[in-house]
Amino acid sequence: MIQMIVQYEVKQDLLSQYRDTINKISTMLPDFEADMFSCSQSDEQNIFIESFYVPTEAHYHALKKMRLSRNHSVFGILEDFVPGGLERMGFMAIKQKR
């Protein structure tokens, strides 16, 4: 199992639209075999950290690729919310011991 962590900043004036979008993302992640989703905002600026688990490294890489796709119907919406666009999102994978 892999813990996937995604970190990014959200533009201040788009926070309410962002919250609607992250709710959509959280409901669709199980379609990609991701579970235990959480999203928290840091005390500094508008930095958000998502955390969830995927079963394999292949799932991590596939989901990361989708998350960076401007053409994805839901994930691509974040392009407008993140200063500098989707390429400014940070990704990390933590392999969990069984």
Side-chain angles (χ1 to χ4, degrees), residues 43-54:
D43 294 336
E44 301 174 23
Q45 304 167 337
N46 294 317
I47 305 294
F48 288 84
I49 301 165
E50 296 177 39
S51 171
F52 48 91
Y53 292 85
V54 292

Side-chain angles (χ1 to χ4, degrees), residues 35-77:
D35 64 356
M36 298 189 341
F37 176 83
S38 69
C39 182
S40 57
Q41 184 175 0
S42 79
D43 294 336
E44 301 174 23
Q45 304 167 337
N46 294 317
I47 305 294
F48 288 84
I49 301 165
E50 296 177 39
S51 171
F52 48 91
Y53 292 85
V54 292
T56 67
E57 288 182 45
H59 284 79
Y60 167 82
H61 291 294
L63 200 47
K64 179 179 176 181
K65 186 175 181 178
M66 276 189 274
R67 294 296 302 263
L68 291 170
S69 171
R70 290 180 184 88
N71 298 324
H72 191 277
S73 61
V74 177
F75 298 139
I77 297 170

